[in-house]
């Protein structure tokens, strides 16, 4: 049973009477524990797809079943809870809260969860250990380098032990060295902890860390292939 | 999200923009400060007035000639000659007014008092010998004139402290003589200073018989003061007095009374109503600034929501529900205004306290600082409500944002 299953997924933006078809019948399955990269030129609909899969946006037509649940049957509150409990997000722009410590940033999803407060500290610390940032725990988010910020964002994404982590161009704002460190951490999380990972990137180099690459073009799936020669990270300690 | 964390988040949101937060609540601070100040001063003024009226004797009943009413036709009645010696004697009769301790007529006029080349115009009170007993004021030098002085129309006076200072500077006045109109009067006593709000300081007392004969040339009284033996008997005594006077004046219809009986309680009630109305009016004026302050809060909260669109998007992406975001921004607005309210209450009380000090020390008023507990509770509730009311619109705007659009916002 796939974790993510879409059938003929459509997304049509309607702004000032102009209709834009961002997704035109996307059908795909992603199994639990898979590491999938989604690629495509700008305007191909890859960001729209990940937003719909991540429940940050609604689809216009078709069906989306996440962990056996048809998303069409859920209200906004239930969807918010699903985002909180089952999903983690890593954005290109990091989106950390400035003027908050690294630890507080990582704790943020926990504050919206049902998990008892007594466990937050340990969970946040574990997540920071997993991305190799336990020594920066009490620093202000603004004091970090770009690469470190993105690693905090990854820690925040996995602190709730989600079923799937969505990463929308996580290396896009980073220099190549930091970018490599970030993608290697993501690969390590997949390998060692079995997280399902859906990664958007426009760099083939980055995509090759994944097991499977889905290419979108003009709102449709152009290709969906297994990566024959996976790139393996050195796993920074 | 737990309420405790919403509160923490809201406080953090506010403290990161300290100067903006403090400028935002200025309107609320000013509004609540003025309300507290007005309520506290109003209460102080009321207490002062009431204590002064009590000083006039809580058990005193005053009969004034003419009927005081609110119709236009009675203006002529106020200078009425309805209180005469016959009435005085009837009221003194214990069979008519059993609880009357003292019954004392008074006449009131004004004249120039002269000592050498010092001339001072002042109020002349012609009274009986019971002023010290009824009004609780005893000459600190000399004595108050006696019943014999009243009977014999003696030309003796007791003067207030201010009169003494004007006519004699710092010199001893008891035993000295002053001229009023064409007669010479011997000063037998000087009243102690009672402070700016007392009319005793600026008055000359003489036997009413003397005043009627030499100053006013009349046979009737300006008022009759009856001191009742206890407060419990005031109401029954008022009725006794009315019945006695109606019989004396052959009045059957109480609406046609040609006299008015007032008590200290009546006067304090009337004055209390007036100060209450004034306070309410001033509070209403101050409340306008609260509305203005509330609009200021709404304005800044809207700016804050726009500015933090990305943060709202992030929180929603991480699992915040619409309600979580609504609560956060409503709490921010309410904490802002409630803080403004608390500062306003402290500031208003401090100002009121300082004003009471100034009034006491410079004007010599017996002004007591009153902390307006009612006003303080009202202030916190009202300021919190303002935060809720004016915070709802921006908070709703924030909670309705779609997470993706909010995250994309630049």
């Amino acid at each position: 049973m796939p974790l993510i299953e879409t059938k003929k997924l459509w997304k049509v933006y309607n702004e000032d009477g102009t209709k834009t078809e961002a997704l035109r019948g996307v059908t795909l399955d992603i199994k639990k524990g898979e590491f999938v990269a989604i690629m495509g030129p700008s305007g191909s609909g890859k960001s729209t797809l990940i937003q719909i899969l991540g429940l940050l946006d609604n689809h216009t037509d078709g069906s989306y079943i996440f962990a056996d649940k048809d998303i069409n049957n859920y209200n906004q509150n239930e969807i918010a809870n699903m985002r909180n409990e089952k999903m983690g997000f890593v954005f290109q722009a990091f989106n950390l809260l400035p003027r908050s410590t690294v630890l507080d940033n990582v704790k943020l999803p926990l504050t919206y969860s049902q998990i008892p407060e007594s466990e937050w500290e340990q969970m946040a610390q574990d997540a920071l250990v997993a991305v190799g940032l336990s020594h920066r725990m009490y620093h202000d988010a603004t004091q970090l380098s770009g690469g470190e910020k993105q690693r905090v964002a990854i820690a925040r994404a996995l602190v709730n032990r989600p079923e799937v982590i969505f990463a929308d161009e996580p290396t896009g704002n980073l220099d190549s060295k930091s970018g490599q460190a970030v993608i290697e951490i993501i690969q390590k999380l997949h390998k060692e902890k079995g997280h399902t990972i859906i990664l958007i990137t426009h760099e083939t180099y980055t995509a090759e860390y994944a097991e499977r690459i889905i290419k979108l073009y003009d709102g449709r799936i152009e290709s969906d292939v297994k990566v024959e020669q996976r790139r393996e990270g050195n796993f920074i300690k | 999200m737990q309420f405790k964390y919403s509160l923490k988040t809201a406080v953090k949101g506010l403290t990161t923009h300290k100067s903006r937060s403090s400028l935002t609540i200025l309107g609320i601070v000013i509004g609540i400060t003025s309300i507290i100040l007005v309520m506290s001063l109003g209460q102080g003024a009321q207490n002062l007035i009431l204590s002064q009226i009590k000083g006039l004797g809580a058990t005193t009943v005053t009969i004034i000639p003419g009927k005081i009413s609110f119709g236009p036709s009675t203006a002529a009645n106020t200078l009425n000659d309805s209180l005469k010696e016959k009435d005085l004697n009837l009221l003194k009769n214990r069979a008519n007014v059993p609880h009357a301790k003292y019954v004392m007529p008074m006449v009131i006029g004004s004249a120039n008092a002269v000592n050498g080349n010092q001339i001072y115009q002042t109020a002349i009170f012609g009274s009986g010998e019971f002023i010290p007993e009824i009004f609780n004021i005893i000459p600190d030098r000399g004595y108050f004139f006696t019943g014999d002085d009243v009977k014999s129309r003696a030309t003796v006076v007791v003067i207030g402290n201010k009169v003494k200072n004007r006519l004699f500077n710092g010199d001893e006045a008891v035993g000295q003589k002053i001229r009023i109109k064409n007669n010479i009067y011997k000063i037998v006593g000087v009243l102690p200073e009672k402070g700016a709000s007392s009319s005793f300081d600026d008055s000359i007392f003489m036997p009413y018989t003397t005043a009627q004969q030499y100053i006013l040339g009349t046979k009737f009284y300006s008022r009759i003061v009856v001191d009742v033996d206890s407060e419990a008997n005031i109401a029954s005594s008022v009725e006794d007095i009315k019945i006695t006077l109606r019989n004396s004046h052959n009045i059957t219809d109480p609406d046609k009374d040609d006299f008015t009986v007032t008590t200290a309680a009546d006067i304090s009630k009337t004055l209390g109503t007036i100060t209450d109305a004034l306070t309410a009016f001033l509070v209403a004026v101050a409340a306008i600034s609260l509305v203005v302050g509330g609009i200021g809060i709404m304005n800044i909260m809207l700016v804050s929501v726009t500015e933090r669109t990305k943060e709202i998007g992030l929180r929603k992406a991480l699992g915040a529900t619409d309600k979580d975001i609504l609560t956060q921004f409503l709490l921010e607005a309410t904490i802002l205004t409630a803080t403004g309210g608390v500062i306003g209450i402290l500031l208003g009380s401090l100002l009121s306290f300082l004003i009471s000090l100034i009034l006491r020390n410079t004007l010599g008023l017996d002004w007591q600082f009153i902390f307006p507990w009612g006003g303080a509770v009202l202030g916190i509730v009202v300021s919190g409500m303002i935060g809720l009311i004016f915070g709802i619109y921006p908070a709703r705007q924030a909670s309705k944002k779609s997470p993706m659009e909010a995250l994309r916002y630049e």
Side-chain angles (χ1 to χ4, degrees), chain A residues 216-235:
Chain A
L216 288 183
Y217 186 79
D218 212 10
R220 290 196 179 96
I221 294 180
E222 189 188 52
S223 66
D224 185 347
V225 293
K226 195 167 180 289
V227 182
E228 295 300 337
Q229 284 221 311
R230 267 185 91 187
R231 208 175 286 280
E232 293 286 341
N234 296 322
F235 298 160

Side-chain angles (χ1 to χ4, degrees), chain B residues 293-333:
Chain B
I295 293 169
I297 298 270
M298 181 156 71
N299 216 343
I300 293 296
M301 288 309 292
L302 278 174
V303 171
S304 173
V305 166
T306 309
E307 209 181 65
R308 285 153 67 191
T309 299
K310 249 195 145 111
E311 181 195 319
I312 295 165
L314 172 73
R315 287 180 184 277
K316 286 196 137 185
L318 299 184
T321 58
D322 290 3
K323 198 176 135 230
D324 288 329
I325 302 291
L326 186 83
T327 311
Q328 182 190 334
F329 280 89
L330 261 189
L331 270 176
E332 280 193 24

Side-chain angles (χ1 to χ4, degrees), chain A residues 33-35 158 161-165 189-191 193-197:
Chain A
E34 259 193 299
F35 183 176
L158 60 92
R161 295 162 192 162
E163 304 241 9
V164 53
I165 293 175
L189 288 173
H190 168 248
K191 206 166 213 171
K193 311 222 167 173
H195 286 290
T196 312
I197 288 167

Side-chain angles (χ1 to χ4, degrees), chain A residues 140-197:
Chain A
D140 219 73
T142 44
Q143 294 173 321
L144 305 181
S145 71
E148 287 173 321
K149 280 181 185 165
Q150 198 59 299
R151 281 152 68 190
V152 174
I154 293 169
R156 183 181 64 194
L158 60 92
V159 72
N160 258 1
R161 295 162 192 162
E163 304 241 9
V164 53
I165 293 175
F166 296 98
D168 188 357
E169 305 233 24
T171 59
N173 273 5
L174 301 176
D175 61 80
S176 57
K177 194 166 163 238
S178 311
Q180 189 174 344
V182 162
I183 195 70
E184 286 181 3
I185 286 173
I186 291 174
Q187 193 184 47
K188 178 182 155 198
L189 288 173
H190 168 248
K191 206 166 213 171
E192 294 181 357
K193 311 222 167 173
H195 286 290
T196 312
I197 288 167

